[in-house]
Amino acid sequence: MHVLIVHAHPEPQSFNAAMTRTAVDTLEANGHTVEVSDLYAMQFNPVAGWHDFPQAADPSFLHYQREQKIAFERQTYAPEIAWEHDKLTRADLVIFQFPVWWRSSPAILKGWFDRVLGVGFAYGAGRVYSTGGLQGKRALLSVTFGGPTSAAEAAEVLQQLQDGVLAFVGFEVLSPFVVGGPRHLTADARQAELQRYHETLEALTCDRTPPGQCHQRAPLVHDALEQA
Amino acid sequence: MHVLIVHAHPEPQSFNAAMTRTAVDTLEANGHTVEVSDLYAMQFNPVAGWHDFPQAADPSFLHYQREQKIAFERQTYAPEIAWEHDKLTRADLVIFQFPVWWRSSPAILKGWFDRVLGVGFAYGAGRVYSTGGLQGKRALLSVTFGGPTSAAEAAEVLQQLQDGVLAFVGFEVLSPFVVGGPRHLTADARQAELQRYHETLEALTCDRTPPGQCHQRAPLVHDALEQA
């Protein structure tokens, strides 16, 4: 399996960063390949605009969706968008790792959705939900909340993103992995949450792992003192 | 009354832009004052990060909310954030004008929420909902959808933003003004939607208008051929 992790947190020592490193280690130890779009490290620009379309079809009026469709057909997207398309195309599983800010993703990830999941590539001409452009791929939201969060509350907050965005473009959307308020946890409890994430990913990817490797545990080496 | 319009659309000839110009004209004709944060024109950076805190309290680890609280207390926020705080402090009514992208605001506005509605200024230490930092102010979402949208669907899509963000920081949140698929409407129908917005704003601000001016209609001069 090939996995893309889209990571959106400004602090490399954060608990979110520890989660992404845990995922990389776990997946690679189980024989999968992984690449990470670390949006802050990439200085990804989340603002949809003319810069997406170096060869805009109609420079007199920015009709964003129409330009998306044309840029996809003519392969004239800005490289930073085309690269993300390539990463998605390669991936069997996409993990979105982020802290929930204002009941949603940080803006840097919202802009990744705005710019990358464009008409033509991700949906359009009736290609939505089961026939969306990302069909055949799985998506997992792996998120932290600022405080303790019930499964029902998390489901409500993440619903538009899971159903209205990810399922809409064809992903099979997995149950989200939620950590409530890592900053308020003890170091041991944070370590336990990383272990839970490790086990969740092992179970998740087990059925697609080469035989014999499925129950091989990856060591957990990350410092659970890292905070959200 | 003093009104702040936070406007988030990349195309100055868009229907969203026509809506904002309609709002400015209507409000000014009724004796109110208006300022506009045109996020694209301002090249507003939606990415929360170190640049928010020129005098960060802990440069070794970005704890974003803690830095927000300290920057607010010490008045050491980056000027672009402090300016938005000043605009909000002056405003009696805040209108958010944007196209719904992926069941939410464009990233440039999501980042305005992330960066501007910070701990200390907008909420914190128990100051949430009726005691939030923006208490006493009203907020209106004025949005376009890509296609026809029922009131129930719009309410579901906007719920997290209305209840989880705006009401959370203390705003009295008004019923949203929704235009479904302006691009698919005739010029006459678009003009009628602008007129409906004009009348909505007049009714909304009527109770706070100086006597005698309430039913004075502002002329509608904007070209309704403009598209979403």
Side-chain angles (χ1 to χ4, degrees), chain A residues 11 13 40 48 60 62-63 101-102 105 107 110 113-114 156 160 183, chain B residues 11 13 40 48 60 62-63 101-102 105 107 110 113-114 160 183:
Chain A
E11 173 53 63
Q13 303 171 83
Y40 270 88
S60 71
L62 179 53
H63 186 322
W101 288 354
W102 289 127
S105 62
K110 176 56 170 64
F113 294 126
D114 290 347
E156 189 190 343
Q160 297 290 342
R183 187 159 53 86
Chain B
E11 173 53 63
Q13 304 170 82
Y40 270 89
S60 71
L62 179 53
H63 186 323
W101 287 354
W102 288 127
S105 61
K110 177 54 170 65
F113 294 127
D114 290 347
Q160 297 290 343
R183 188 159 53 87

PDB file of all heavy atoms in Angstrom, chain A residues 11 13 40 48 60 62-63 101-102 105 107 110 113-114 156 160 183, chain B residues 11 13 40 48 60 62-63 101-102 105 107 110 113-114 160 183:
ATOM      1  N   GLU A  11       3.918  23.538  14.321  1.00  0.00           N
ATOM      2  CA  GLU A  11       5.002  23.272  15.281  1.00  0.00           C
ATOM      3  C   GLU A  11       5.540  21.845  15.107  1.00  0.00           C
ATOM      4  O   GLU A  11       4.827  20.872  15.369  1.00  0.00           O
ATOM      5  CB  GLU A  11       4.477  23.488  16.703  1.00  0.00           C
ATOM      6  CG  GLU A  11       5.432  23.098  17.814  1.00  0.00           C
ATOM      7  CD  GLU A  11       6.802  23.749  17.680  1.00  0.00           C
ATOM      8  OE1 GLU A  11       6.875  24.987  17.738  1.00  0.00           O
ATOM      9  OE2 GLU A  11       7.797  23.016  17.492  1.00  0.00           O
ATOM     10  N   GLN A  13       7.449  20.153  16.882  1.00  0.00           N
ATOM     11  CA  GLN A  13       7.531  19.379  18.133  1.00  0.00           C
ATOM     12  C   GLN A  13       6.140  19.070  18.691  1.00  0.00           C
ATOM     13  O   GLN A  13       6.012  18.623  19.830  1.00  0.00           O
ATOM     14  CB  GLN A  13       8.305  20.179  19.192  1.00  0.00           C
ATOM     15  CG  GLN A  13       9.697  20.584  18.775  1.00  0.00           C
ATOM     16  CD  GLN A  13      10.317  21.561  19.763  1.00  0.00           C
ATOM     17  OE1 GLN A  13      10.866  21.159  20.784  1.00  0.00           O
ATOM     18  NE2 GLN A  13      10.197  22.848  19.470  1.00  0.00           N
ATOM     19  N   TYR A  40       2.928  23.129   6.284  1.00  0.00           N
ATOM     20  CA  TYR A  40       3.707  24.253   6.827  1.00  0.00           C
ATOM     21  C   TYR A  40       5.143  24.214   6.319  1.00  0.00           C
ATOM     22  O   TYR A  40       5.701  25.234   5.913  1.00  0.00           O
ATOM     23  CB  TYR A  40       3.666  24.279   8.358  1.00  0.00           C
ATOM     24  CG  TYR A  40       2.502  25.097   8.900  1.00  0.00           C
ATOM     25  CD1 TYR A  40       1.258  24.522   9.113  1.00  0.00           C
ATOM     26  CD2 TYR A  40       2.660  26.446   9.182  1.00  0.00           C
ATOM     27  CE1 TYR A  40       0.191  25.274   9.606  1.00  0.00           C
ATOM     28  CE2 TYR A  40       1.601  27.217   9.669  1.00  0.00           C
ATOM     29  CZ  TYR A  40       0.375  26.625   9.886  1.00  0.00           C
ATOM     30  OH  TYR A  40      -0.668  27.378  10.354  1.00  0.00           O
ATOM     31  N   ALA A  48      -6.742  30.248  -2.945  1.00  0.00           N
ATOM     32  CA  ALA A  48      -7.131  29.974  -4.325  1.00  0.00           C
ATOM     33  C   ALA A  48      -7.076  31.265  -5.124  1.00  0.00           C
ATOM     34  O   ALA A  48      -7.588  32.291  -4.680  1.00  0.00           O
ATOM     35  CB  ALA A  48      -8.547  29.401  -4.352  1.00  0.00           C
ATOM     36  N   SER A  60      -9.785  37.671 -18.091  1.00  0.00           N
ATOM     37  CA  SER A  60     -10.601  38.857 -17.792  1.00  0.00           C
ATOM     38  C   SER A  60     -11.536  38.647 -16.610  1.00  0.00           C
ATOM     39  O   SER A  60     -12.098  39.609 -16.074  1.00  0.00           O
ATOM     40  CB  SER A  60     -11.417  39.247 -19.020  1.00  0.00           C
ATOM     41  OG  SER A  60     -12.449  38.291 -19.250  1.00  0.00           O
ATOM     42  N   LEU A  62     -12.006  35.764 -13.265  1.00  0.00           N
ATOM     43  CA  LEU A  62     -11.602  34.505 -12.625  1.00  0.00           C
ATOM     44  C   LEU A  62     -12.831  33.683 -12.233  1.00  0.00           C
ATOM     45  O   LEU A  62     -13.454  33.907 -11.205  1.00  0.00           O
ATOM     46  CB  LEU A  62     -10.747  34.778 -11.378  1.00  0.00           C
ATOM     47  CG  LEU A  62     -10.295  33.508 -10.616  1.00  0.00           C
ATOM     48  CD1 LEU A  62      -9.607  32.530 -11.540  1.00  0.00           C
ATOM     49  CD2 LEU A  62      -9.397  33.870  -9.460  1.00  0.00           C
ATOM     50  N   HIS A  63     -13.170  32.760 -13.117  1.00  0.00           N
ATOM     51  CA  HIS A  63     -14.182  31.767 -12.770  1.00  0.00           C
ATOM     52  C   HIS A  63     -13.385  30.541 -12.318  1.00  0.00           C
ATOM     53  O   HIS A  63     -12.938  29.741 -13.138  1.00  0.00           O
ATOM     54  CB  HIS A  63     -15.052  31.458 -13.976  1.00  0.00           C
ATOM     55  CG  HIS A  63     -16.196  30.551 -13.646  1.00  0.00           C
ATOM     56  ND1 HIS A  63     -16.082  29.502 -12.757  1.00  0.00           N
ATOM     57  CD2 HIS A  63     -17.472  30.549 -14.060  1.00  0.00           C
ATOM     58  CE1 HIS A  63     -17.230  28.885 -12.652  1.00  0.00           C
ATOM     59  NE2 HIS A  63     -18.099  29.506 -13.426  1.00  0.00           N
ATOM     60  N   TRP A 101      -9.351  23.436  14.492  1.00  0.00           N
ATOM     61  CA  TRP A 101      -9.408  24.858  14.831  1.00  0.00           C
ATOM     62  C   TRP A 101     -10.745  25.389  14.331  1.00  0.00           C
ATOM     63  O   TRP A 101     -11.060  25.250  13.151  1.00  0.00           O
ATOM     64  CB  TRP A 101      -8.278  25.628  14.129  1.00  0.00           C
ATOM     65  CG  TRP A 101      -6.904  25.385  14.673  1.00  0.00           C
ATOM     66  CD1 TRP A 101      -6.545  24.665  15.784  1.00  0.00           C
ATOM     67  CD2 TRP A 101      -5.666  25.879  14.123  1.00  0.00           C
ATOM     68  NE1 TRP A 101      -5.188  24.690  15.950  1.00  0.00           N
ATOM     69  CE2 TRP A 101      -4.622  25.426  14.953  1.00  0.00           C
ATOM     70  CE3 TRP A 101      -5.346  26.658  13.007  1.00  0.00           C
ATOM     71  CZ2 TRP A 101      -3.282  25.718  14.701  1.00  0.00           C
ATOM     72  CZ3 TRP A 101      -4.010  26.952  12.756  1.00  0.00           C
ATOM     73  CH2 TRP A 101      -2.990  26.493  13.595  1.00  0.00           C
ATOM     74  N   TRP A 102     -11.503  25.990  15.211  1.00  0.00           N
ATOM     75  CA  TRP A 102     -12.810  26.528  14.827  1.00  0.00           C
ATOM     76  C   TRP A 102     -13.656  25.497  14.075  1.00  0.00           C
ATOM     77  O   TRP A 102     -14.099  25.734  12.979  1.00  0.00           O
ATOM     78  CB  TRP A 102     -12.668  27.828  14.015  1.00  0.00           C
ATOM     79  CG  TRP A 102     -12.212  28.994  14.837  1.00  0.00           C
ATOM     80  CD1 TRP A 102     -11.163  29.813  14.580  1.00  0.00           C
ATOM     81  CD2 TRP A 102     -12.810  29.486  16.056  1.00  0.00           C
ATOM     82  NE1 TRP A 102     -11.056  30.766  15.572  1.00  0.00           N
ATOM     83  CE2 TRP A 102     -12.046  30.595  16.480  1.00  0.00           C
ATOM     84  CE3 TRP A 102     -13.913  29.087  16.827  1.00  0.00           C
ATOM     85  CZ2 TRP A 102     -12.343  31.311  17.644  1.00  0.00           C
ATOM     86  CZ3 TRP A 102     -14.198  29.801  17.981  1.00  0.00           C
ATOM     87  CH2 TRP A 102     -13.424  30.908  18.368  1.00  0.00           C
ATOM     88  N   SER A 105     -10.609  22.391   9.756  1.00  0.00           N
ATOM     89  CA  SER A 105      -9.165  22.265   9.594  1.00  0.00           C
ATOM     90  C   SER A 105      -8.512  23.641   9.667  1.00  0.00           C
ATOM     91  O   SER A 105      -9.156  24.651   9.394  1.00  0.00           O
ATOM     92  CB  SER A 105      -8.857  21.613   8.240  1.00  0.00           C
ATOM     93  OG  SER A 105      -9.345  22.429   7.194  1.00  0.00           O
ATOM     94  N   ALA A 107      -6.542  26.786   8.278  1.00  0.00           N
ATOM     95  CA  ALA A 107      -6.736  27.367   6.939  1.00  0.00           C
ATOM     96  C   ALA A 107      -5.780  26.783   5.910  1.00  0.00           C
ATOM     97  O   ALA A 107      -6.142  26.636   4.736  1.00  0.00           O
ATOM     98  CB  ALA A 107      -6.575  28.887   7.005  1.00  0.00           C
ATOM     99  N   LYS A 110      -7.537  23.837   4.727  1.00  0.00           N
ATOM    100  CA  LYS A 110      -8.756  24.211   3.990  1.00  0.00           C
ATOM    101  C   LYS A 110      -8.400  24.652   2.577  1.00  0.00           C
ATOM    102  O   LYS A 110      -9.071  24.299   1.599  1.00  0.00           O
ATOM    103  CB  LYS A 110      -9.516  25.328   4.728  1.00  0.00           C
ATOM    104  CG  LYS A 110     -10.755  25.838   3.986  1.00  0.00           C
ATOM    105  CD  LYS A 110     -11.715  24.721   3.667  1.00  0.00           C
ATOM    106  CE  LYS A 110     -13.063  25.168   3.138  1.00  0.00           C
ATOM    107  NZ  LYS A 110     -13.017  25.860   1.840  1.00  0.00           N
ATOM    108  N   PHE A 113      -7.710  21.767   0.288  1.00  0.00           N
ATOM    109  CA  PHE A 113      -8.961  21.241  -0.284  1.00  0.00           C
ATOM    110  C   PHE A 113      -9.459  22.150  -1.416  1.00  0.00           C
ATOM    111  O   PHE A 113      -9.830  21.680  -2.491  1.00  0.00           O
ATOM    112  CB  PHE A 113     -10.044  21.111   0.797  1.00  0.00           C
ATOM    113  CG  PHE A 113      -9.740  20.092   1.860  1.00  0.00           C
ATOM    114  CD1 PHE A 113      -9.772  20.444   3.207  1.00  0.00           C
ATOM    115  CD2 PHE A 113      -9.427  18.793   1.536  1.00  0.00           C
ATOM    116  CE1 PHE A 113      -9.488  19.512   4.201  1.00  0.00           C
ATOM    117  CE2 PHE A 113      -9.134  17.836   2.516  1.00  0.00           C
ATOM    118  CZ  PHE A 113      -9.172  18.210   3.858  1.00  0.00           C
ATOM    119  N   ASP A 114      -9.478  23.463  -1.147  1.00  0.00           N
ATOM    120  CA  ASP A 114      -9.977  24.407  -2.158  1.00  0.00           C
ATOM    121  C   ASP A 114      -9.217  24.274  -3.475  1.00  0.00           C
ATOM    122  O   ASP A 114      -9.812  24.284  -4.554  1.00  0.00           O
ATOM    123  CB  ASP A 114      -9.826  25.858  -1.662  1.00  0.00           C
ATOM    124  CG  ASP A 114     -10.764  26.225  -0.525  1.00  0.00           C
ATOM    125  OD1 ASP A 114     -11.719  25.465  -0.254  1.00  0.00           O
ATOM    126  OD2 ASP A 114     -10.546  27.288   0.105  1.00  0.00           O
ATOM    127  N   GLU A 156     -19.936  15.181  14.789  1.00  0.00           N
ATOM    128  CA  GLU A 156     -20.707  16.337  14.338  1.00  0.00           C
ATOM    129  C   GLU A 156     -19.780  17.378  13.719  1.00  0.00           C
ATOM    130  O   GLU A 156     -20.066  17.952  12.664  1.00  0.00           O
ATOM    131  CB  GLU A 156     -21.474  16.930  15.526  1.00  0.00           C
ATOM    132  CG  GLU A 156     -22.471  17.990  15.115  1.00  0.00           C
ATOM    133  CD  GLU A 156     -23.047  18.743  16.306  1.00  0.00           C
ATOM    134  OE1 GLU A 156     -22.929  18.257  17.447  1.00  0.00           O
ATOM    135  OE2 GLU A 156     -23.586  19.840  16.085  1.00  0.00           O
ATOM    136  N   GLN A 160     -19.162  17.573   7.943  1.00  0.00           N
ATOM    137  CA  GLN A 160     -19.125  18.248   6.639  1.00  0.00           C
ATOM    138  C   GLN A 160     -17.863  17.867   5.861  1.00  0.00           C
ATOM    139  O   GLN A 160     -17.895  17.669   4.652  1.00  0.00           O
ATOM    140  CB  GLN A 160     -19.175  19.772   6.817  1.00  0.00           C
ATOM    141  CG  GLN A 160     -20.457  20.301   7.456  1.00  0.00           C
ATOM    142  CD  GLN A 160     -21.666  20.168   6.545  1.00  0.00           C
ATOM    143  OE1 GLN A 160     -21.521  20.000   5.328  1.00  0.00           O
ATOM    144  NE2 GLN A 160     -22.846  20.213   7.115  1.00  0.00           N
ATOM    145  N   ARG A 183      -2.654  18.267  25.159  1.00  0.00           N
ATOM    146  CA  ARG A 183      -1.885  19.186  26.001  1.00  0.00           C
ATOM    147  C   ARG A 183      -2.219  19.011  27.481  1.00  0.00           C
ATOM    148  O   ARG A 183      -1.420  19.328  28.350  1.00  0.00           O
ATOM    149  CB  ARG A 183      -2.181  20.619  25.557  1.00  0.00           C
ATOM    150  CG  ARG A 183      -1.341  21.685  26.208  1.00  0.00           C
ATOM    151  CD  ARG A 183      -1.337  22.946  25.357  1.00  0.00           C
ATOM    152  NE  ARG A 183      -2.681  23.394  25.047  1.00  0.00           N
ATOM    153  CZ  ARG A 183      -3.422  24.188  25.839  1.00  0.00           C
ATOM    154  NH1 ARG A 183      -2.946  24.586  26.993  1.00  0.00           N
ATOM    155  NH2 ARG A 183      -4.624  24.581  25.472  1.00  0.00           N
TER     156      ARG A 183
ATOM    157  N   GLU B  11     -12.456  37.520  -7.198  1.00  0.00           N
ATOM    158  CA  GLU B  11     -12.777  38.215  -8.458  1.00  0.00           C
ATOM    159  C   GLU B  11     -13.597  39.482  -8.167  1.00  0.00           C
ATOM    160  O   GLU B  11     -14.740  39.394  -7.702  1.00  0.00           O
ATOM    161  CB  GLU B  11     -13.558  37.257  -9.370  1.00  0.00           C
ATOM    162  CG  GLU B  11     -14.109  37.888 -10.641  1.00  0.00           C
ATOM    163  CD  GLU B  11     -13.046  38.609 -11.457  1.00  0.00           C
ATOM    164  OE1 GLU B  11     -12.104  37.966 -11.922  1.00  0.00           O
ATOM    165  OE2 GLU B  11     -13.165  39.860 -11.608  1.00  0.00           O
ATOM    166  N   GLN B  13     -15.170  41.372 -10.080  1.00  0.00           N
ATOM    167  CA  GLN B  13     -16.398  41.483 -10.880  1.00  0.00           C
ATOM    168  C   GLN B  13     -17.429  40.415 -10.497  1.00  0.00           C
ATOM    169  O   GLN B  13     -18.423  40.234 -11.190  1.00  0.00           O
ATOM    170  CB  GLN B  13     -16.069  41.317 -12.369  1.00  0.00           C
ATOM    171  CG  GLN B  13     -15.028  42.284 -12.898  1.00  0.00           C
ATOM    172  CD  GLN B  13     -14.591  41.907 -14.302  1.00  0.00           C
ATOM    173  OE1 GLN B  13     -15.252  42.240 -15.287  1.00  0.00           O
ATOM    174  NE2 GLN B  13     -13.472  41.201 -14.411  1.00  0.00           N
ATOM    175  N   TYR B  40      -8.857  39.404  -0.186  1.00  0.00           N
ATOM    176  CA  TYR B  40      -8.002  39.211  -1.369  1.00  0.00           C
ATOM    177  C   TYR B  40      -7.260  40.496  -1.718  1.00  0.00           C
ATOM    178  O   TYR B  40      -6.057  40.478  -2.000  1.00  0.00           O
ATOM    179  CB  TYR B  40      -8.817  38.699  -2.563  1.00  0.00           C
ATOM    180  CG  TYR B  40      -8.883  37.185  -2.630  1.00  0.00           C
ATOM    181  CD1 TYR B  40      -9.895  36.486  -1.982  1.00  0.00           C
ATOM    182  CD2 TYR B  40      -7.926  36.447  -3.325  1.00  0.00           C
ATOM    183  CE1 TYR B  40      -9.955  35.101  -2.023  1.00  0.00           C
ATOM    184  CE2 TYR B  40      -7.976  35.061  -3.384  1.00  0.00           C
ATOM    185  CZ  TYR B  40      -8.991  34.392  -2.739  1.00  0.00           C
ATOM    186  OH  TYR B  40      -9.038  33.017  -2.784  1.00  0.00           O
ATOM    187  N   ALA B  48      -1.908  30.737  10.107  1.00  0.00           N
ATOM    188  CA  ALA B  48      -1.518  30.997  11.489  1.00  0.00           C
ATOM    189  C   ALA B  48      -0.082  30.554  11.706  1.00  0.00           C
ATOM    190  O   ALA B  48       0.293  29.446  11.312  1.00  0.00           O
ATOM    191  CB  ALA B  48      -2.447  30.232  12.438  1.00  0.00           C
ATOM    192  N   SER B  60      10.749  28.780  21.491  1.00  0.00           N
ATOM    193  CA  SER B  60      11.226  27.399  21.328  1.00  0.00           C
ATOM    194  C   SER B  60      10.112  26.431  20.948  1.00  0.00           C
ATOM    195  O   SER B  60      10.368  25.313  20.518  1.00  0.00           O
ATOM    196  CB  SER B  60      11.887  26.919  22.623  1.00  0.00           C
ATOM    197  OG  SER B  60      10.898  26.728  23.629  1.00  0.00           O
ATOM    198  N   LEU B  62       5.941  26.692  19.400  1.00  0.00           N
ATOM    199  CA  LEU B  62       4.780  27.514  19.056  1.00  0.00           C
ATOM    200  C   LEU B  62       3.508  26.924  19.663  1.00  0.00           C
ATOM    201  O   LEU B  62       2.899  26.015  19.102  1.00  0.00           O
ATOM    202  CB  LEU B  62       4.630  27.641  17.537  1.00  0.00           C
ATOM    203  CG  LEU B  62       3.408  28.470  17.078  1.00  0.00           C
ATOM    204  CD1 LEU B  62       3.376  29.841  17.750  1.00  0.00           C
ATOM    205  CD2 LEU B  62       3.406  28.614  15.572  1.00  0.00           C
ATOM    206  N   HIS B  63       3.142  27.444  20.820  1.00  0.00           N
ATOM    207  CA  HIS B  63       1.831  27.125  21.383  1.00  0.00           C
ATOM    208  C   HIS B  63       0.926  28.289  20.979  1.00  0.00           C
ATOM    209  O   HIS B  63       0.896  29.337  21.631  1.00  0.00           O
ATOM    210  CB  HIS B  63       1.920  26.977  22.890  1.00  0.00           C
ATOM    211  CG  HIS B  63       0.645  26.505  23.515  1.00  0.00           C
ATOM    212  ND1 HIS B  63      -0.598  26.910  23.071  1.00  0.00           N
ATOM    213  CD2 HIS B  63       0.399  25.651  24.520  1.00  0.00           C
ATOM    214  CE1 HIS B  63      -1.527  26.336  23.786  1.00  0.00           C
ATOM    215  NE2 HIS B  63      -0.963  25.567  24.661  1.00  0.00           N
ATOM    216  N   TRP B 101     -17.331  27.293  -0.276  1.00  0.00           N
ATOM    217  CA  TRP B 101     -16.432  26.350  -0.950  1.00  0.00           C
ATOM    218  C   TRP B 101     -16.243  25.178  -0.013  1.00  0.00           C
ATOM    219  O   TRP B 101     -15.798  25.349   1.122  1.00  0.00           O
ATOM    220  CB  TRP B 101     -15.069  27.001  -1.214  1.00  0.00           C
ATOM    221  CG  TRP B 101     -15.058  28.030  -2.310  1.00  0.00           C
ATOM    222  CD1 TRP B 101     -16.070  28.366  -3.163  1.00  0.00           C
ATOM    223  CD2 TRP B 101     -13.955  28.879  -2.671  1.00  0.00           C
ATOM    224  NE1 TRP B 101     -15.661  29.352  -4.032  1.00  0.00           N
ATOM    225  CE2 TRP B 101     -14.373  29.686  -3.757  1.00  0.00           C
ATOM    226  CE3 TRP B 101     -12.650  29.034  -2.184  1.00  0.00           C
ATOM    227  CZ2 TRP B 101     -13.544  30.636  -4.354  1.00  0.00           C
ATOM    228  CZ3 TRP B 101     -11.820  29.977  -2.783  1.00  0.00           C
ATOM    229  CH2 TRP B 101     -12.252  30.764  -3.861  1.00  0.00           C
ATOM    230  N   TRP B 102     -16.495  23.998  -0.463  1.00  0.00           N
ATOM    231  CA  TRP B 102     -16.334  22.802   0.361  1.00  0.00           C
ATOM    232  C   TRP B 102     -17.028  22.960   1.712  1.00  0.00           C
ATOM    233  O   TRP B 102     -16.421  22.761   2.747  1.00  0.00           O
ATOM    234  CB  TRP B 102     -14.853  22.414   0.535  1.00  0.00           C
ATOM    235  CG  TRP B 102     -14.238  21.856  -0.713  1.00  0.00           C
ATOM    236  CD1 TRP B 102     -13.097  22.280  -1.324  1.00  0.00           C
ATOM    237  CD2 TRP B 102     -14.721  20.759  -1.497  1.00  0.00           C
ATOM    238  NE1 TRP B 102     -12.849  21.538  -2.442  1.00  0.00           N
ATOM    239  CE2 TRP B 102     -13.836  20.593  -2.577  1.00  0.00           C
ATOM    240  CE3 TRP B 102     -15.840  19.916  -1.418  1.00  0.00           C
ATOM    241  CZ2 TRP B 102     -14.013  19.619  -3.556  1.00  0.00           C
ATOM    242  CZ3 TRP B 102     -16.017  18.945  -2.392  1.00  0.00           C
ATOM    243  CH2 TRP B 102     -15.106  18.807  -3.438  1.00  0.00           C
ATOM    244  N   SER B 105     -16.078  28.336   4.450  1.00  0.00           N
ATOM    245  CA  SER B 105     -15.569  29.567   3.854  1.00  0.00           C
ATOM    246  C   SER B 105     -14.314  29.275   3.035  1.00  0.00           C
ATOM    247  O   SER B 105     -13.617  28.288   3.284  1.00  0.00           O
ATOM    248  CB  SER B 105     -15.237  30.569   4.954  1.00  0.00           C
ATOM    249  OG  SER B 105     -14.232  30.048   5.798  1.00  0.00           O
ATOM    250  N   ALA B 107     -10.455  29.446   2.154  1.00  0.00           N
ATOM    251  CA  ALA B 107      -9.368  29.373   3.128  1.00  0.00           C
ATOM    252  C   ALA B 107      -8.930  30.744   3.620  1.00  0.00           C
ATOM    253  O   ALA B 107      -8.555  30.914   4.778  1.00  0.00           O
ATOM    254  CB  ALA B 107      -8.169  28.625   2.526  1.00  0.00           C
ATOM    255  N   LYS B 110     -11.191  31.406   6.380  1.00  0.00           N
ATOM    256  CA  LYS B 110     -10.953  30.479   7.485  1.00  0.00           C
ATOM    257  C   LYS B 110      -9.736  30.933   8.289  1.00  0.00           C
ATOM    258  O   LYS B 110      -9.721  30.910   9.524  1.00  0.00           O
ATOM    259  CB  LYS B 110     -10.756  29.051   6.967  1.00  0.00           C
ATOM    260  CG  LYS B 110     -10.423  28.030   8.066  1.00  0.00           C
ATOM    261  CD  LYS B 110     -11.441  28.033   9.189  1.00  0.00           C
ATOM    262  CE  LYS B 110     -11.307  26.894  10.172  1.00  0.00           C
ATOM    263  NZ  LYS B 110     -10.069  26.920  10.947  1.00  0.00           N
ATOM    264  N   PHE B 113     -10.484  33.781  10.607  1.00  0.00           N
ATOM    265  CA  PHE B 113     -11.046  33.280  11.873  1.00  0.00           C
ATOM    266  C   PHE B 113      -9.922  32.731  12.762  1.00  0.00           C
ATOM    267  O   PHE B 113      -9.840  33.033  13.948  1.00  0.00           O
ATOM    268  CB  PHE B 113     -12.096  32.192  11.627  1.00  0.00           C
ATOM    269  CG  PHE B 113     -13.337  32.676  10.933  1.00  0.00           C
ATOM    270  CD1 PHE B 113     -13.801  32.056   9.778  1.00  0.00           C
ATOM    271  CD2 PHE B 113     -14.062  33.760  11.419  1.00  0.00           C
ATOM    272  CE1 PHE B 113     -14.951  32.497   9.128  1.00  0.00           C
ATOM    273  CE2 PHE B 113     -15.214  34.207  10.780  1.00  0.00           C
ATOM    274  CZ  PHE B 113     -15.653  33.578   9.629  1.00  0.00           C
ATOM    275  N   ASP B 114      -9.052  31.899  12.179  1.00  0.00           N
ATOM    276  CA  ASP B 114      -7.975  31.284  12.954  1.00  0.00           C
ATOM    277  C   ASP B 114      -7.107  32.350  13.637  1.00  0.00           C
ATOM    278  O   ASP B 114      -6.737  32.223  14.801  1.00  0.00           O
ATOM    279  CB  ASP B 114      -7.053  30.438  12.047  1.00  0.00           C
ATOM    280  CG  ASP B 114      -7.716  29.161  11.531  1.00  0.00           C
ATOM    281  OD1 ASP B 114      -8.779  28.780  12.032  1.00  0.00           O
ATOM    282  OD2 ASP B 114      -7.143  28.549  10.601  1.00  0.00           O
ATOM    283  N   GLN B 160     -21.848  24.997  11.883  1.00  0.00           N
ATOM    284  CA  GLN B 160     -20.626  25.041  12.690  1.00  0.00           C
ATOM    285  C   GLN B 160     -20.067  26.464  12.745  1.00  0.00           C
ATOM    286  O   GLN B 160     -19.580  26.909  13.786  1.00  0.00           O
ATOM    287  CB  GLN B 160     -19.569  24.091  12.120  1.00  0.00           C
ATOM    288  CG  GLN B 160     -19.956  22.623  12.133  1.00  0.00           C
ATOM    289  CD  GLN B 160     -19.991  22.027  13.543  1.00  0.00           C
ATOM    290  OE1 GLN B 160     -19.444  22.581  14.472  1.00  0.00           O
ATOM    291  NE2 GLN B 160     -20.674  20.912  13.686  1.00  0.00           N
ATOM    292  N   ARG B 183     -24.603  32.152 -10.713  1.00  0.00           N
ATOM    293  CA  ARG B 183     -24.080  31.975 -12.072  1.00  0.00           C
ATOM    294  C   ARG B 183     -25.108  31.363 -13.016  1.00  0.00           C
ATOM    295  O   ARG B 183     -25.039  31.531 -14.233  1.00  0.00           O
ATOM    296  CB  ARG B 183     -22.834  31.070 -11.999  1.00  0.00           C
ATOM    297  CG  ARG B 183     -22.072  30.933 -13.274  1.00  0.00           C
ATOM    298  CD  ARG B 183     -20.646  30.491 -12.994  1.00  0.00           C
ATOM    299  NE  ARG B 183     -20.598  29.301 -12.162  1.00  0.00           N
ATOM    300  CZ  ARG B 183     -20.645  28.051 -12.628  1.00  0.00           C
ATOM    301  NH1 ARG B 183     -20.766  27.835 -13.936  1.00  0.00           N
ATOM    302  NH2 ARG B 183     -20.555  27.024 -11.826  1.00  0.00           N
TER     303      ARG B 183
END
